[in-house]
Amino acid sequence: MATTAGVYRNGNHSRNSQSTSNNKVEKPLSFNPNPKKSLKSKSLPGSGLRKSAPPSLGTAKDDTGVPGRVRVAVRLRPRNEEEMVADADFADCVELLPEAKRLKLRKNNWDSDTYEFDEVLTEFASQKRVYEVVAKPVVESVMDGYNGTVMAYGQTGTGKTYTLGRLGEEDTSARGIMVRAMEDILADVSQETDSVSVSYLQLYMETIQDLLDPTNGNISIVEDPKSGDVSLPGASVVEIRNQKSFVELLRLGEAHRFAANTKLNTESSRSHAILMVHVKRSVKGRDSILSSETGNNPHMAKSLKPPIIRKGKLVVVDLAGSERIDKSGSGGHTLEEAKSINLSLSALGKCINALAENSSHVPIRDSKLTRLLRDSFGGSARTSLVITIGPSPRHRGETASTIMFGQRAMKVENMLKLKEEFDYKSLSRRLDIQLEKLIAEHEKQQKAFENEIERVTTNAKLQISESERTYAVELEKERLNYQKEYMESIKKLEEKWGMNQQKHAGGENIAGLKDESSNWISNGEDSRVANMEELSEMKTKLQKETLLRKAAEEEVNKLKSQLAELKKSEASAKSDISKLQKKLEDEACQKEKLEGEIAILQSQLLQISFEADETARRIDKGSYEKVPGSLDSLMLQVRQPQNNDSGNGEKASIAKLFEQVGLQRILSLLEAEDVDVRIHAVKVVANLAAEGFFLVLYQHFASASFYGQHQLIQNCASSDLLSKTNQEKIVEAGGLTSLLMLLRSSKDETIHRVAAGAIANLAMSETNQELIMAQGGIRLLSMTAGSAEDPQTLRMVAGAIANLCGNDKLQVKLRGEGGIRALLGMVRCGHPDVLAQVARGIANFAKCESRASTQGTKNGRSLLIEDGVLPWIVQNANNEASPIRRHIELALCHLAQHEVNAKDMISGGALWELVRISRDCSREDIRTLAHRTLTCSPTFQAGMSRLGIDY
Ligand code: ADP
Ligand code: MG
């Protein structure tokens, strides 16, 4: 143990007797003196992080982070009852000088060693103060998107659990760090956009147990070989919405811990308890590093800009007691057990020694604890350590070793890094919603068209029949009138005529008999006058009749012309109808195109995330690797199409690239000897294969709001052509063959990943799918799937196979060459993006198979069932990730369509899932499909009644 004065750079330790204190104690960086203020100021306290941090990853290409030393506070437990009695005659072995942040460890009555810490907490320090100086700055960093660790170290019984884990349900002032941290976190997150989730674990004898799920007994640690990020995919993760549920969870964890330890016949002081809190927040606006990187990019339309999320992780570790376990094996432990129990703690000590001494080798891999905490010590997290000691002189040895541990930990420098990334998932969700809106809008318009046509047609028909009816009625009325009047006047004329005849006859008789000339003359004159009068009367009547008839004829003519008019309007209504029908057909055609686009967009989303990962990886590496000659500039141009300012810049740059370098040359570089050159060449090809895609997306959504749908579809069609042309060029130049060869010949996983990404992209076209199959692509992809470790590689490979699964013609061959087994093998990685691709592949395959069965080109059991896919899909049918679940639900529905599969599905437990889907699935079409299948299939019906399912 080094006790030389002044050897510690941070001045942690100085040896001085009580009388002389000449040794200068260099002051370490202090804890944030006023943590309250800083919560709102959003700066990382104590390090001036924002000021010294590189403002942008994008411009500086440097994400080494900012230095942040591990902070150490010491906390003294008050004497307990036993010590009051046993140590009554002795002084405490330590003396605290909290103002000076120093601690004196008594050696004997006249001599002591003095140590300086970041904070010295006396036996009177309240839990609130301990939280504020030890944990609050860490919690604030986590809220800002950094990782953080709070850890307690010390002998059993000195107050580690008291400091970290007290629930304080009876006395709120007694609440420990875990509870207080969650209170601060929940107060600061937004329920709508952010999420908080926790895992709670115990590490004992190098086995990690899930304290939230006691059946989960041996959880493995997964490390991302590139980023070094550590995760525990097997651990339960519970979303926290309020403080009450969190406290419940802690209590549950505590109960499980007690039960587990009883079973293992040990005490909790022998195990480490680890609480992990994941805080995911979405960043709106300016202060984000990523947003300032893309903020001045005119090509990034607003709607295409992915939101930014910050993911902070808080780890709270209640370590096992630091006292040495009796190596003789007493206390119920064998020597082996004792070694194993000690392993993680002693490994932690070794790592901290190595880090404190800047040693080139830090034995992180020696234990599970050090692997779990690799980010906390010497990593990118903000770390705060509280060492707990007791006052009793009887434990002076343990107290001294605890103090030395703290002193060494103070010398560990971390590099704090912001965990910020684009939220491609939510962008994809947003794009999905936008697409759905467009489709709905389109359907609404179509419906409106149909209604309009119907309305015009019925109106026109009604008008015509109405006019015809009025015309007929009027005509009939006129005819009757005319006839009546005519008959009346004829009758009158006849009467008059009769009367005249009579008059004439009477007059002649009188003349013949009397022969009195004067009378005769006078009589003759009278009757002639009367006759003349009658005649003129008749004439006027006749004239009147003629006039009436003329008027009636005019009326008839008028009605006739009205009828002609109406006929004309009927004809024009008919032509309107046929025009509208034509429009309707056009709309239907456009809808089809739009649906095609959706399919392309969805599979190309795969490419976006691929790009994102590549960017992230690039940023991780800190700078571009060196690539010789024109390939270097080529890379930059391909990667940064946004540097051009015109909308056609990308098109132009690619064309220029072809001219300058030539596709053939790029392809020849795929076989270059230098691995770096090879990697870059694959990346260029991958970019070319995807080129045009960003433009498609950009135009698609940027134009959606400005132009109508028509324009939108044209845009998409032309951009799609552009990207197809590139893909064709690559394939024609033998690029596909070269990419496949790379999968076979290269051992480098980066090459595998990028090549698989490019193949996945090419595999979106049917012609390419056949080519890939013909060249043994499935075997190569399966091989890559078997050896890959990086989830991103697996995702690319799974994406490629999933695309091939959607080709009707390749089903049998794909299966024969092990494609399905390869897909299934990739679920071992557990990454949700990989699982989503696997599920998509299975759904694609099931769909084609179902189609073939319906058409009668396939019979017998599903090849998916033959290859043992059923257990996995049943297990994941209700997966909480919606893309996985949706694909699996579809796959199950397709499989259930055919009776040959029913028996296996029932025995494999799929029937329960089908019933659930038919009841709860959020998509109505899937729900209906499942319901129809269940009601139509006699086997399922029998199965349900046997299982007692009431359907
Ligand atoms: P550890 O987890 O280090 O083994 P505990 O937290 O279980 O220690 O503490 C041991 C005992 O000491 C408990 O009864 C606890 O209530 C008490 N204790 C610890 N620290 C304090 C403190 N600062 N004030 C009062 N009691 C304390
Ligand atoms: Mg404890």
Side-chain angles (χ1 to χ4, degrees):
M1 192 75 29
T3 50
T4 330
V7 288
Y8 294 112
R9 205 170 358 102
N10 276 326
N12 305 336
H13 167 238
S14 75
R15 184 181 169 163
N16 59 330
S17 70
Q18 275 174 333
S19 53
T20 58
S21 57
N22 295 339
N23 285 319
K24 193 167 170 284
V25 180
E26 213 180 305
K27 216 168 163 40
L29 295 169
S30 66
F31 267 63
N32 175 27
N34 191 349
K36 235 192 196 125
K37 247 185 199 162
S38 70
L39 185 63
K40 290 304 143 204
S41 71
K42 293 280 171 216
S43 70
L44 264 186
S47 63
L49 177 68
R50 281 292 148 76
K51 270 168 236 138
S52 55
S56 157
L57 291 175
T59 49
K61 294 284 175 236
D62 167 24
D63 68 340
T64 48
V66 266
R69 183 173 59 71
V70 171
R71 309 274 144 167
V72 182
V74 56
R75 184 181 198 184
L76 176 65
R77 170 175 60 63
R79 282 190 179 199
N80 57 28
E81 273 173 29
E82 185 248 315
E83 285 164 344
M84 300 247 204
V85 180
D87 300 337
D89 297 335
F90 303 97
D92 287 350
C93 72
V94 291
E95 182 190 336
L96 303 187
L97 308 167
E99 266 86 47
K101 301 187 193 290
R102 291 186 194 172
L103 170 152
K104 285 185 181 173
L105 178 64
R106 226 180 284 284
K107 285 165 76 181
N108 47 47
N109 277 342
W110 56 90
D111 200 6
S112 65
D113 288 330
T114 301
Y115 301 91
E116 182 155 339
F117 285 94
D118 290 309
E119 199 65 47
V120 171
L121 299 159
T122 67
E123 64 268 48
F124 307 113
S126 67
Q127 289 281 75
K128 179 166 184 276
R129 174 158 164 74
V130 172
Y131 170 73
E132 279 174 356
V133 297
V134 174
K136 193 156 185 155
V138 179
V139 172
E140 282 161 1
S141 298
V142 170
M143 297 305 283
D144 282 349
Y146 295 83
N147 285 344
T149 310
V150 177
M151 190 168 90
Y153 179 98
Q155 191 186 351
T156 299
T158 50
K160 294 184 295 300
T161 308
Y162 183 90
T163 302
L164 297 178
R166 282 205 75 173
L167 301 182
E169 284 175 299
E170 283 100 51
D171 172 12
T172 51
S173 69
R175 287 166 304 160
I177 283 175
M178 289 179 182
V179 176
R180 286 174 197 266
M182 184 56 79
E183 255 164 19
D184 272 1
I185 290 172
L186 287 174
D188 217 26
V189 294
S190 141
Q191 293 281 358
E192 288 88 56
T193 54
D194 306 342
S195 79
V196 181
S197 55
V198 302
S199 302
Y200 196 18
L201 310 144
Q202 163 167 281
L203 172 58
Y204 177 65
M205 287 187 57
E206 296 307 286
T207 304
I208 301 175
Q209 298 156 308
D210 192 339
L211 288 179
L212 301 181
D213 176 7
T215 58
N216 225 352
N218 190 2
I219 293 168
S220 49
I221 302 174
V222 174
E223 279 155 85
D224 186 324
K226 300 273 157 50
S227 68
D229 282 345
V230 175
S231 60
L232 301 167
S236 316
V237 181
V238 177
E239 177 122 11
I240 300 294
R241 297 213 167 269
N242 56 48
Q243 187 68 14
K244 199 167 149 248
S245 64
F246 176 65
V247 173
E248 278 300 314
L249 215 67
L250 285 184
R251 200 176 313 115
L252 178 82
E254 220 34 65
H256 287 154
R257 192 174 182 201
F258 182 77
N261 291 334
T262 312
K263 206 164 126 196
L264 294 168
N265 194 19
T266 183
E267 308 153 48
S268 64
S269 65
R270 297 275 165 255
S271 68
H272 313 280
I274 300 150
L275 176 77
M276 289 185 173
V277 183
H278 303 268
V279 181
K280 204 159 112 185
R281 314 184 77 188
S282 70
V283 185
K284 295 172 208 70
R286 287 144 285 142
D287 64 335
S288 148
I289 284 177
L290 289 171
S291 76
S292 66
E293 190 184 13
T294 55
N296 51 6
N297 178 358
H299 288 272
M300 201 68 125
K302 186 175 171 282
S303 62
L304 200 54
K305 204 154 114 193
I308 288 154
I309 42 173
R310 285 184 177 163
K311 290 178 174 172
K313 181 169 80 173
L314 173 67
V315 182
V316 183
V317 189
D318 186 354
L319 288 173
S322 60
E323 64 278 2
R324 288 156 60 90
I325 298 177
D326 188 353
K327 289 220 169 126
S328 69
S330 68
H333 298 295
T334 64
L335 185 57
E336 274 314 301
E337 271 173 342
K339 259 195 221 156
S340 182
I341 290 168
N342 271 327
L343 181 70
S344 267
L345 207 55
S346 55
L348 178 66
K350 279 182 205 153
C351 283
I352 286 185
N353 282 351
L355 285 163
E357 281 153 21
N358 261 332
S359 153
S360 59
H361 175 66
V362 182
I364 281 172
R365 308 205 59 82
D366 281 4
S367 78
K368 291 221 167 137
L369 183 67
T370 46
R371 282 171 68 201
L372 272 176
L373 295 179
R374 68 184 291 172
D375 197 38
S376 310
F377 292 94
S380 68
R382 181 171 194 76
T383 296
S384 194
L385 171 70
V386 57
I387 58 168
T388 55
I389 54 174
S392 171
R394 283 174 292 146
H395 298 303
R396 193 190 170 284
E398 294 296 354
T399 304
S401 92
T402 300
I403 288 170
M404 291 324 294
F405 180 89
Q407 291 285 296
R408 279 190 297 272
M410 277 176 86
K411 296 205 288 176
V412 177
E413 279 283 353
N414 287 358
M415 279 304 206
L416 312 192
K417 280 184 207 165
L418 188 59
K419 310 283 175 183
E420 184 173 79
E421 58 189 49
F422 285 126
D423 187 358
Y424 283 96
K425 278 198 184 128
S426 102
L427 173 66
S428 128
R429 264 199 306 279
R430 212 166 68 197
L431 295 185
D432 271 350
I433 291 168
Q434 243 168 316
L435 273 175
E436 264 159 34
K437 264 198 206 142
L438 283 175
I439 292 167
E441 178 62 25
H442 168 78
E443 277 170 3
K444 219 168 78 192
Q445 276 181 11
Q446 199 170 333
K447 189 103 193 132
F449 269 129
E450 280 165 17
N451 290 346
E452 184 62 16
I453 289 172
E454 214 171 290
R455 202 181 60 75
V456 170
T457 316
T458 33
N459 262 0
K461 276 183 187 158
L462 238 111
Q463 246 176 325
I464 289 167
S465 66
E466 182 66 23
S467 319
E468 274 174 354
R469 217 175 31 247
T470 10
Y471 170 69
V473 170
E474 287 294 316
L475 201 64
E476 184 60 20
K477 226 157 72 192
E478 277 308 310
R479 200 182 58 80
L480 287 174
N481 267 352
Y482 179 69
Q483 207 173 22
K484 206 169 114 202
E485 276 171 27
Y486 187 74
M487 293 304 280
E488 270 169 14
S489 51
I490 296 285
K491 219 161 99 189
K492 271 187 198 158
L493 279 175
E494 273 172 359
E495 273 168 19
K496 287 206 176 134
W497 176 251
M499 263 156 65
N500 280 346
Q501 288 287 314
Q502 266 177 14
K503 273 183 193 167
H504 266 294
E508 268 165 22
N509 285 344
I510 290 162
L513 285 169
K514 288 191 179 165
D515 200 27
E516 276 176 16
S517 63
S518 64
N519 277 349
W520 185 84
I521 290 167
S522 87
N523 278 349
E525 280 294 298
D526 279 357
S527 84
R528 222 175 51 160
V529 170
N531 271 348
M532 289 301 277
E533 273 172 8
E534 287 292 323
L535 236 132
S536 77
E537 206 178 306
M538 264 169 59
K539 259 186 192 161
T540 40
K541 275 203 176 152
L542 245 163
Q543 265 165 2
K544 238 171 140 184
E545 292 304 321
T546 319
L547 277 173
L548 270 171
R549 217 186 74 192
K550 262 190 191 151
E553 272 169 0
E554 260 168 32
E555 185 68 21
V556 170
N557 280 342
K558 218 164 85 193
L559 284 171
K560 266 188 187 159
S561 76
Q562 257 179 29
L563 183 70
E565 202 59 43
L566 279 172
K567 287 226 164 114
K568 229 159 74 189
S569 86
E570 185 193 353
S572 92
K574 271 190 185 149
S575 92
D576 269 2
I577 291 170
S578 73
K579 260 188 224 152
L580 285 172
Q581 263 164 351
K582 174 123 187 15
K583 240 181 183 170
L584 190 69
E585 276 162 22
D586 284 354
E587 287 296 323
C589 179
Q590 280 176 14
K591 185 184 163 197
E592 230 164 68
K593 271 190 201 163
L594 213 60
E595 277 166 359
E597 281 313 311
I598 294 169
I600 293 173
L601 283 175
Q602 275 170 347
S603 50
Q604 286 174 335
L605 272 173
L606 178 70
Q607 177 65 26
I608 300 193
S609 350
F610 168 70
E611 283 294 321
D613 293 331
E614 281 302 295
T615 313
R617 250 171 249 283
R618 195 153 40 89
I619 291 167
D620 273 354
K621 281 203 169 176
S623 60
Y624 290 109
E625 300 105 300
K626 278 273 150 276
V627 186
S630 62
L631 198 55
D632 197 5
S633 67
L634 171 76
M635 276 306 300
L636 285 170
Q637 286 180 59
V638 173
R639 286 197 171 284
Q640 299 179 313
Q642 64 267 38
N643 288 348
N644 298 303
D645 21 359
S646 88
N648 292 327
E650 191 176 353
K651 243 194 254 184
S653 80
I654 295 294
K656 219 161 107 201
L657 283 174
F658 279 141
E659 266 172 39
Q660 279 178 357
V661 188
L663 186 57
Q664 211 59 58
R665 163 108 199 273
I666 300 171
L667 291 176
S668 73
L669 288 173
L670 289 177
E671 286 148 45
E673 268 179 23
D674 184 335
V675 179
D676 275 352
V677 176
R678 224 158 49 216
I679 292 176
H680 279 279
V682 191
K683 285 180 182 176
V684 171
V685 175
N687 273 298
L688 287 174
E691 187 261 323
F693 168 58
F694 282 101
L695 196 58
V696 177
L697 271 183
Y698 168 72
Q699 287 184 336
H700 194 102
F701 294 102
S703 55
S705 43
F706 300 119
Y707 317 109
Q709 290 183 20
H710 201 71
Q711 182 66 37
L712 169 80
I713 290 165
Q714 275 184 358
N715 283 349
C716 290
S718 62
S719 327
D720 187 32
L721 269 179
L722 175 74
S723 109
K724 264 189 195 144
T725 317
N726 261 357
Q727 292 201 348
E728 276 164 17
K729 279 184 191 160
I730 292 172
V731 174
E732 273 165 24
L736 182 55
T737 316
S738 308
L739 287 167
L740 288 168
M741 222 152 74
L742 276 177
L743 285 188
R744 180 181 302 139
S745 60
S746 173
K747 293 269 173 290
D748 186 298
E749 185 149 349
T750 306
I751 291 188
H752 284 173
R753 189 176 65 246
V754 184
I759 293 170
N761 232 344
L762 293 172
M764 283 186 293
S765 113
E766 212 178 299
T767 332
N768 291 348
Q769 288 169 355
E770 283 162 23
L771 279 173
I772 292 170
M773 289 294 290
Q775 297 184 24
I778 276 294
R779 276 193 208 293
L780 292 171
L781 287 165
S782 305
M783 229 164 63
T784 315
S787 63
E789 277 175 12
D790 179 8
Q792 300 318 324
T793 313
L794 290 168
R795 184 162 61 132
M796 292 304 145
V797 175
I801 299 183
N803 283 344
L804 296 171
C805 281
N807 189 320
D808 293 288
K809 290 181 239 160
L810 305 178
Q811 296 257 295
V812 176
K813 189 153 186 238
L814 184 130
R815 186 260 179 155
E817 298 193 358
I820 298 172
R821 285 186 193 285
L823 266 184
L824 204 55
M826 281 182 274
V827 308
R828 70 179 186 273
C829 132
H831 194 291
D833 289 349
V834 179
L835 300 189
Q837 292 304 329
V838 172
R840 183 168 73 86
I842 291 175
N844 275 348
F845 195 91
K847 185 171 77 188
C848 292
E849 210 177 43
S850 168
R851 203 154 42 207
S853 294
T854 314
Q855 289 163 356
T857 49
K858 176 188 180 330
N859 34 35
R861 225 158 55 129
S862 161
L863 298 178
L864 289 170
I865 295 181
E866 301 269 333
D867 275 3
V869 168
L870 208 48
W872 184 76
I873 60 178
V874 168
Q875 209 177 349
N876 285 277
N878 203 7
N879 193 301
E880 62 188 11
S882 72
I884 304 176
R885 188 177 62 243
R886 213 174 53 212
H887 289 310
I888 293 186
E889 285 174 344
L890 262 175
L892 277 172
C893 285
H894 284 308
L895 287 174
Q897 298 298 302
H898 303 284
E899 281 287 291
V900 277
N901 298 330
K903 240 172 74 187
D904 290 288
M905 290 185 78
I906 294 172
S907 64
L911 181 53
W912 292 102
E913 292 307 325
L914 280 168
V915 172
R916 180 191 58 73
I917 293 167
S918 76
R919 285 177 180 155
D920 303 338
C921 178
S922 61
R923 274 184 50 182
E924 198 192 336
D925 49 345
I926 301 182
R927 219 167 47 230
T928 324
L929 184 62
H931 177 74
R932 222 179 31 229
T933 313
L934 285 177
T935 43
C936 291
S937 153
T939 318
F940 283 134
Q941 287 286 329
M944 282 190 289
S945 71
R946 203 169 49 247
L947 291 172
I949 300 173
D950 186 19
Y951 200 72

